[in-house]
């Protein structure tokens, strides 16, 4: 396929389905190579569709065994089979049943879409359009049906048989070695939420009673022998269920809720109704095989999938253009849950780092698209940071703009009004317009317009009049297909910081929404604050109140004051980041030299020294975030054009080394003070202490490699948990030499039978910023721990390399050719993983001309390959456009 051959699907072309499917009865006889699927569909014409239309069912790589209408076999002329589906030419214009038998081969399914095998189990992935790889169907989210599913398998092979809903029957198939289970899901759902699992799995379980008093059996299923690692996921599930009852008033609605972990999965996890299927990376945890970061991710993703039960399943999407309706909202909900379970400011900082690293970079390049795209060729390429993370930011802004009370009333209205429907963004926004009495039509532009706005701010103090005037302006750069941009609604949360803290805010301006928020909804705006008794320092975009870049005319001295005094924790962190970013941009772009940078390093070190001495102990997790400088990739994005990755990397190394040296004594004392007492616990407070200790280790290692290596080796030997061991390995990867290679080897020996831990080992090596890394990665591809067939392994080693700023962007182009060759090889077996990897090229246009040309030719090489999947062809085409 060439991308230009694939049809462009447009939002404006949406039409309701001509047919509806009220009921689906599936009878699935699982077999490794020949699984037989009998599907009985209860169909009727859709009153909102076109009368007399043929019935066009979607299908993909299916073998049709037979088809019957109202129980009678259809003659050859009555239907056609195409590569895209099954057409019943003249169906009766009334309700009827269609029985279709298909045969599929789960073992041959390397795309991991539809029914496939993972380890020795059967499992499914149907979002976005995988159900059509199981049986012929109207595979679109606005066709919602009640499913009854009979699963049958050899008892020895698949003692566990799971599907959506409640189990209504089980039994043996008389006279055979097979057994069956029947599942019924009373809630109508689109096909993308269908799931089944069959296999020999272990599980942990717990009884739960909802706030409404309904009993639910919760269970987490894992590969045999791994039940000891499923407890944290189950514990997280119970906590997020309670939270959703308390905060959003949402109760669970079936008798069982099952989570299953599989080791081959294209994404993180999937919210199938009552049967969430997870990448095992986001379920399995014990102190020896999971890091603090893993524990936090598991908690967040368990919550995310569970929250989809209401925002996604009970209320689903009318069409895939509305993907952000479920994803942005559910990310917002999981972020709020994690904030309540852990530290809110630290969670916000972590989320903003991710947003900038992934979404801002997407928005600044050729793959930029609106939160609600208007057209697509391959929907699987739109599960993006823009739809997910920027989608969540839009909800967060909505809450700030209309206030918490109106937001809550709007959510309640949405749940009440749209329950059981396939909804749109318009219907969602209407609930909040109603609850707040505000016109949200301008706000809705966030869903239509791509690109990251820049807010420019400057302030003037008038001592005589005791006023402070803030001039704000916004602009958004052009993005593909959107050359002209209009102003968006930007809630700018702010404070005016005086010597003794926040000054009172008095203004007569109607742009000022109260609660410390200015609404910048036009190209520019001035707000004058009165009774300002002293010259203030503005603290803008507090809590990162809008997903925008901020250009503020504050000097480093003022920023450092904000760092030490701002009442908003996010902006304290941001202030220091801004000083470091500015220094690195100056040096990384060649505008200033190393000597100048060393001066900045000393200023930063002095501020950090004071902070660490006085405040680190009170909030180690926050202090760890403060110590972590912006990444080289952040600096590249800030520079934005003619980027030379080597120069940025050198500046980053120099700054880190100088700060590490200047703070050596302080960091050592801090590490001792934070020394662990008692056994490992994954809670936020203990994790915060480890995070700070390990940030300190990294800085020490850059500043003084000898001391760093000694400390890292000691830590590795003495650690009782993976977090500390991995941090030791990461610190050692910064220090070339035999000791590093020895630690790398010891790590591999220790975790030889732990694929998920070895993924971290693969990635740590792929990220080494040295010219030898490409050869190392090629060598590691031959290591028994690596397999091109497993998405986690590919993401760890090849994805890790593609995220290595200096080595992926090698001046000789070898990094680009390597990744491009792998994309092509992978495309034959797993197009989704291949196209995500190709997305690593998304920032190629900002590179200096030499690298830009080499990246472009690697992309063109991919694009010109014959027989590309639609997934890869689409990314290649858009990246080059
Ligand atoms: N809806 C899931 C993510 C997901 C999307 C697509 C998949 O296959 C192509 C798999 C999972 C979520 O948001 O968690
Ligand atoms: Zn989701």
């Amino acid at each position: 396929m060439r991308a230009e051959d694939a049809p462009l699907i447009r939002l404006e072309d949406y039409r309701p389905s001509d047919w509806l499917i009220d009921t689906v009865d599936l009878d699935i006889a699982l077999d490794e190579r020949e699984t037989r699927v009998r599907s009985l569909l209860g169909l009727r014409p859709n009153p909102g569709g076109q009368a007399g239309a043929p019935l066009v069912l979607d299908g993909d790589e299916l073998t049709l065994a037979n088809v019957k209408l109202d129980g009678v076999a259809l003659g050859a002329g009555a239907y056609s089979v195409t590569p895209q589906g099954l057409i019943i030419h003249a169906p009766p214009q009334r309700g009827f049943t269609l029985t279709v038998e298909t045969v599929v081969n789960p073992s041959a399914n390397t795309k991991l879409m539809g029914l496939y095998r993972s380890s020795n189990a059967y499992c499914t992935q149907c979002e976005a359009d995988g159900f059509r790889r199981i049986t012929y169907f109207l595979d679109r989210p606005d066709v919602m049906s009640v499913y009854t599913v009979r699963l049958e398998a050899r008892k020895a092979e698949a003692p566990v048989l799971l599907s959506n809903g409640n189990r209504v029957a089980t039994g043996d198939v008389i006279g055979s070695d097979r057994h069956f289970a029947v599942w019924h899901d009373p809630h109508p759902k689109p096909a993308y939420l269908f799931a089944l699992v069959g296999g020999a799995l272990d599980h942990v379980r717990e009884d739960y009673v909802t706030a409404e008093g309904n009993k639910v059996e919760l269970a987490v299923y894992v590969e045999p022998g791994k039940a000891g690692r499923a407890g944290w996921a189950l514990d997280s599930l119970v906590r997020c269920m309670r939270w959703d009852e308390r905060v959003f008033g949402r109760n669970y609605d079936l008798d069982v809720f099952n989570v299953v972990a599989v080791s081959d999965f294209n994404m993180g996890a999937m919210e199938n109704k009552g049967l969430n299927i997870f990448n095992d990376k986001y379920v399995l945890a014990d102190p020896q095989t999971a890091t603090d970061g893993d524990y936090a991710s598991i908690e967040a993703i368990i919550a995310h999938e569970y929250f989809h039960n209401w925002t996604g399943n009970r209320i689903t999407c009318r069409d895939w253009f509305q993907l952000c309706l479920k994803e942005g909202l559910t990310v917002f909900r999981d972020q709020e849950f994690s904030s309540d379970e852990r530290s809110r400011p630290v969670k916000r900082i972590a989320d903003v780092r991710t947003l900038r690293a992934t979404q801002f970079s997407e928005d600044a390049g050729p793959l930029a698209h609106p939160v609600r795209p208007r057209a697509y060729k391959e929907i699987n390429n739109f599960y993006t940071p823009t739809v997910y993370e920027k989608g969540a930011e839009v909800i967060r802004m909505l809450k700030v703009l209309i206030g918490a009370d109106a937001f809550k009333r709007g959510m309640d209205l949405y749940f009440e009004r749209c329950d059981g429907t396939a909804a749109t963004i318009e219907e969602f926004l209407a609930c909040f317009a109603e609850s707040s009495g505000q016109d949200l039509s301008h706000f809705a532009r966030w869903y239509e317009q791509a690109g990251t706005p820049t807010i420019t701010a400057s302030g003037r103090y008038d001592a005589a009049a005791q006023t402070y005037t803030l001039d704000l302006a916004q602009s958004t750069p052009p993005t593909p297909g959107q050359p002209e941009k209009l102003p968006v609604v930007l809630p700018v949360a702010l404070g005016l910081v005086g010597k003794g803290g926040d000054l009172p805010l008095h203004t007569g301006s109607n742009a000022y929404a109260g609660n410390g928020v200015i609404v910048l909804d036009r190209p520019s705006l001035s707000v004058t604050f009165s009774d300002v008794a002293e010259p203030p320092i503005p603290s803008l975009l507090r809590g990162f109140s809008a997903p925008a870049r901020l250009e503020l005319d504050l000097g480093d001295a003022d920023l450092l004051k904000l760092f030490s005094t701002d009442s908003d924790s996010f902006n304290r962190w941001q202030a220091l980041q801004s000083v470091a970013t500015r220094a690195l941009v100056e040096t990384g772009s060649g505008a200033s030299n190393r000597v100048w940078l060393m001066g900045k390093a000393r200023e930063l070190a002095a501020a950090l020294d004071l902070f660490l001495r006085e405040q680190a102990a009170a909030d180690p997790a926050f202090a760890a975030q403060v110590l972590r400088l912006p990444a080289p990739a952040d600096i590249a994005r800030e520079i934005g054009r003619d980027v030379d990755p080597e120069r940025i990397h050198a500046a980053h190394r120099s700054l880190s080394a100088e700060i590490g040296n200047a703070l050596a004594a302080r960091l050592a004392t801090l590490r001792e003070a934070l020394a662990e007492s008692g056994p490992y616990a994954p809670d936020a407070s203990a994790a915060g202490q480890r995070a700070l200790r390990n940030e300190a280790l990294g800085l020490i290692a850059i500043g003084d490699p000898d001391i760093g290596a000694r400390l890292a080796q000691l830590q590795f030997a003495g650690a009782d948990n993976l977090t500390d061991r991995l941090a030791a390995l990461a610190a050692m990867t910064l220090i070339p030499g035999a000791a590093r290679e020895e630690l790398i080897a010891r790590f591999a020996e220790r975790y030889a039978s732990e694929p998920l831990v070895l993924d971290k080992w693969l990635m740590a090596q792929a990220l080494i910023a040295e010219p030898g890394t490409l050869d190392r990665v090629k060598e590691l591809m031959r290591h028994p721990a690596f397999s091109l067939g497993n998405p986690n392994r590919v993401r760890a080693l090849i994805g890790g390399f593609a995220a290595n700023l200096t080595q992926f962007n090698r001046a000789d182009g070898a990094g680009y050719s390597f990744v491009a060759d792998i994309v092509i090889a992978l495309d034959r077996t797993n197009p989704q993983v291949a196209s995500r990897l190709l997305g690593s090229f998304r920032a190629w246009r900002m590179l200096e001309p030499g690298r830009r040309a080499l990246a472009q030719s690697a992309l063109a090489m991919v694009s010109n390959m014959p027989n590309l999947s639609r997934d890869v062809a689409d990314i290649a085409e858009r990246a080059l456009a």
Side-chain angles (χ1 to χ4, degrees):
M1 152 101 41
R2 304 182 62 81
E4 50 273 34
D5 304 338
L8 189 66
I9 300 166
R10 290 191 186 82
L11 170 57
E12 68 216 44
D13 295 340
Y14 171 83
R15 280 196 314 112
S17 175
D18 296 325
W19 294 91
L20 296 175
I21 304 176
D22 294 322
T23 56
V24 181
D25 283 83
L26 293 173
D27 193 340
I28 302 180
L30 292 169
D31 180 86
E32 271 181 61
R33 288 196 175 70
E34 268 190 33
T35 290
R36 297 189 81 78
V37 180
R38 197 177 60 89
S39 154
L40 172 68
L41 307 179
L43 285 138
R44 69 183 157 97
N46 185 359
Q50 200 192 330
L55 174 62
V56 182
L57 298 173
D58 303 298
D60 180 27
E61 296 185 13
L62 294 172
T63 304
L64 178 64
N66 66 67
V67 49
K68 292 178 188 159
L69 198 150
D70 282 338
V72 179
L74 274 183
Y79 66 91
S80 317
V81 179
T82 72
Q84 287 78 39
L86 169 66
I87 305 166
I88 312 291
H89 296 300
Q93 298 302 304
R94 53 161 171 84
F96 65 94
T97 65
L98 196 72
T99 313
V100 183
E101 248 186 78
T102 47
V103 182
V104 293
N105 180 353
S107 301
N109 185 353
T110 57
K111 295 182 180 168
L112 313 185
M113 285 293 280
L115 175 66
Y116 65 94
R117 304 268 295 166
S118 178
S119 301
N120 291 316
Y122 297 91
C123 65
T124 53
Q125 172 54 39
C126 292
E127 188 177 8
D129 46 14
F131 192 70
R132 65 186 66 181
R133 295 169 57 77
I134 299 174
T135 183
Y136 291 103
F137 204 73
L138 294 172
D139 195 0
R140 45 187 288 168
D142 58 350
V143 171
M144 298 168 77
S145 326
V146 170
Y147 284 66
T148 307
V149 180
R150 181 181 179 278
L151 297 175
E152 193 196 295
R154 278 199 307 117
K155 226 177 182 171
E157 186 192 23
V160 175
L161 292 173
L162 307 173
S163 191
N164 316 91
N166 300 317
R167 185 172 13 221
V168 291
T170 54
D172 290 338
V173 179
I174 310 296
S176 80
D177 60 352
R178 298 174 75 79
H179 74 147
F180 70 89
V182 181
W183 290 81
H184 177 72
D185 180 1
H187 301 280
K189 64 170 177 288
Y192 83 86
L193 292 172
F194 167 81
L196 73 81
V197 168
L201 301 167
D202 285 352
H203 72 280
V204 293
R205 58 175 303 284
E206 188 165 329
D207 288 336
Y208 181 91
V209 180
T210 67
E212 287 169 349
N214 295 325
K215 201 173 149 247
V216 188
E217 274 182 41
L218 311 178
V220 178
Y221 286 84
V222 294
E223 276 177 16
K226 298 201 170 150
R229 298 186 196 177
W232 177 252
L234 186 59
D235 180 66
S236 302
L237 177 60
V238 170
R239 284 183 283 119
C240 75
M241 289 176 81
R242 283 284 170 247
W243 184 91
D244 211 18
E245 290 167 355
R246 191 161 44 78
V247 178
F248 281 88
R250 298 297 103 202
N251 281 244
Y252 187 61
D253 54 8
L254 288 165
D255 304 340
V256 292
F257 186 82
N258 287 318
V259 169
V260 180
V262 299
S263 49
D264 302 82
F265 202 76
N266 281 348
M267 308 277 275
M270 180 63 211
E271 69 263 24
N272 319 296
K273 181 81 187 188
L275 177 54
N276 289 185
I277 297 181
F278 272 63
N279 184 328
D280 60 0
K281 172 179 167 61
Y282 296 118
V283 169
L284 301 175
D286 69 24
Q288 296 313 314
T289 55
T291 61
D292 292 334
D294 293 326
Y295 277 89
S297 301
I298 290 167
E299 182 180 272
I301 296 176
I302 286 276
H304 180 96
E305 306 310 328
Y306 173 74
F307 294 158
H308 267 315
N309 188 54
W310 275 93
T311 49
N313 302 3
R314 292 285 290 247
I315 306 176
T316 192
C317 303
R318 186 193 72 174
D319 53 71
W320 291 120
F321 296 101
Q322 320 296 329
L323 185 57
C324 59
L325 178 72
K326 74 178 177 84
E327 296 304 348
L329 180 55
T330 305
V331 171
F332 171 77
R333 274 152 56 67
D334 83 54
Q335 290 176 344
E336 286 299 288
F337 167 67
S338 296
S339 301
D340 284 349
E341 292 288 297
R342 293 161 180 263
S343 152
R344 184 164 281 270
V346 171
K347 171 68 178 158
R348 188 66 185 138
I349 291 166
D351 287 344
V352 172
R353 273 195 206 275
T354 306
L355 181 80
R356 287 176 172 152
T358 61
Q359 201 281 323
F360 279 23
S361 70
E362 181 168 82
D363 238 356
L367 300 181
H369 57 272
V371 170
R372 180 169 66 177
R374 292 197 77 82
Y376 62 78
K377 286 188 172 176
E378 174 50 68
I379 187 57
N380 289 316
N381 286 338
F382 283 86
Y383 288 80
T384 59
T386 297
V387 169
Y388 276 65
E389 272 74 32
K390 188 174 180 182
E393 292 300 316
V394 173
I395 310 276
R396 189 170 296 282
M397 284 189 287
L398 178 63
K399 184 174 175 185
V400 170
L401 285 165
I402 66 175
D405 290 347
F407 182 76
K408 171 139 192 17
R409 288 195 304 276
M411 283 303 306
D412 290 346
L413 188 57
Y414 176 62
F415 288 129
E416 189 190 313
R417 184 183 284 172
C418 297
D419 187 15
T421 72
T424 60
I425 288 296
E426 282 75 11
E427 289 168 285
F428 174 73
L429 285 179
C431 296
F432 297 93
E434 232 170 282
S435 73
S436 67
Q438 289 188 28
D439 177 358
L440 296 176
S441 49
H442 185 186
F443 179 78
R445 189 169 289 151
W446 277 108
Y447 288 97
E448 314 297 338
Q449 186 169 282
T452 306
T454 293
I455 301 172
T456 318
S458 62
R460 280 166 285 133
Y461 181 64
D462 183 333
Q466 302 244 304
T467 58
Y468 182 78
T469 302
L470 197 58
D471 298 319
L472 298 172
Q474 64 163 298
S475 67
T476 302
T479 54
Q482 292 185 335
E484 306 291 336
K485 300 290 183 178
L486 295 166
V488 287
V489 181
L490 290 155
V492 181
L494 86 163
L496 297 181
V497 181
K499 288 195 192 67
D502 277 14
L503 303 172
L505 300 176
H506 301 299
T507 165
S509 165
N510 60 8
Y512 180 67
N515 303 323
V517 178
I518 290 177
V519 182
L520 174 61
D521 59 358
R522 57 206 88 166
S524 64
L525 176 69
S526 290
V527 180
T528 298
F529 297 90
S530 51
D531 304 318
V532 184
E534 56 176 300
I537 306 174
S539 167
L540 301 183
L541 225 54
R542 281 184 161 173
F544 203 64
S545 58
R549 293 177 65 249
L550 178 63
E551 278 176 13
L552 185 61
D553 70 341
L554 277 190
D556 285 355
D558 279 345
L559 284 169
L560 290 175
K561 261 186 221 150
L562 283 184
F563 170 58
S564 59
T565 59
D566 200 328
S567 61
D568 183 71
S569 302
F570 179 88
N571 267 7
R572 290 187 62 201
W573 168 81
Q574 180 62 59
L576 195 93
Q577 292 282 308
S578 297
V579 177
T581 301
R582 219 181 256 176
L584 289 169
V585 165
E586 280 275 303
T587 324
S589 62
S592 294
N593 63 18
R594 198 171 170 280
V595 177
W596 177 86
L597 183 65
M598 291 305 98
K600 283 288 156 204
R602 282 188 291 277
E603 280 174 39
L604 280 162
L608 280 168
D609 194 39
L610 196 67
F611 165 77
L612 292 175
R613 192 180 70 206
E614 293 182 349
Q615 295 175 46
D619 191 350
F622 178 72
Q625 291 289 359
V626 168
L627 267 195
R628 194 147 136 226
L629 297 180
D634 298 324
I635 305 307
R637 201 182 54 249
E638 274 300 304
I639 294 173
R641 56 195 304 188
D642 293 328
V643 162
D644 177 348
E646 288 294 347
R647 194 157 52 195
I648 295 172
H649 176 71
H652 195 272
R653 268 309 267 245
S654 300
L655 183 70
S656 308
E658 187 65 16
I659 293 177
N661 269 324
L663 295 180
R666 171 81 50 218
L667 293 172
T669 321
L670 192 63
R671 278 177 53 81
E672 268 160 40
L674 291 165
E676 203 144 19
S677 56
Y680 175 92
D683 60 87
S685 150
Q689 301 207 7
R690 280 186 290 274
L692 181 53
R693 255 209 344 256
N694 289 327
E695 278 305 329
L697 176 62
L699 269 181
I700 293 171
I702 295 184
D704 187 330
D706 289 341
I707 297 182
R710 197 159 44 75
L711 288 176
Q713 283 162 319
L714 277 173
Q715 175 160 318
F716 187 83
D720 73 343
N721 64 80
L722 182 65
T723 304
D724 288 336
R725 264 189 215 115
L726 192 69
L729 176 73
M732 279 304 276
T733 61
L734 301 168
I735 308 166
R740 169 171 83 187
E741 302 312 317
E742 198 198 310
L743 197 79
I744 287 173
R746 275 172 55 206
F747 194 101
E749 273 162 33
R750 178 174 207 121
Y751 295 107
S753 58
E754 297 295 347
L756 292 173
V757 182
L758 288 182
D759 283 347
K760 299 174 195 302
W761 174 81
L762 292 170
M763 183 178 261
Q765 295 177 78
L767 287 171
I768 295 175
E770 293 169 20
T773 296
L774 179 55
D775 286 340
R776 186 191 287 267
V777 169
K778 287 180 179 167
E779 184 68 38
L780 284 168
M781 285 182 73
R782 291 191 283 274
H783 192 280
F786 182 77
S787 152
L788 215 46
N790 179 290
N792 286 355
R793 307 299 94 85
V794 174
R795 280 187 285 258
L797 185 62
I798 317 298
F801 177 75
N804 183 330
L805 184 68
T806 56
Q807 300 315 301
F808 174 55
N809 296 298
R810 282 164 59 120
D812 63 1
Y816 304 137
S817 318
F818 170 69
V819 174
D821 284 346
I822 292 186
V823 167
I824 290 165
L826 205 51
D827 194 37
R828 294 182 203 121
T829 52
N830 193 329
Q832 277 188 30
V833 175
S835 79
R836 288 207 160 241
L837 184 59
L838 189 61
S840 311
F841 283 87
R842 66 178 181 269
W844 72 275
R845 282 186 195 280
M846 72 175 184
L847 295 162
E848 52 79 25
R851 287 174 170 89
R852 202 188 309 151
L854 291 164
Q856 186 176 21
S857 63
L859 274 168
M861 193 267 285
V862 173
S863 181
N864 290 330
M865 287 300 290
N867 303 322
L868 285 179
S869 68
R870 192 162 57 203
D871 309 58
V872 166
D874 170 51
I875 296 286
E877 181 190 45
R878 286 192 285 136
L880 284 166

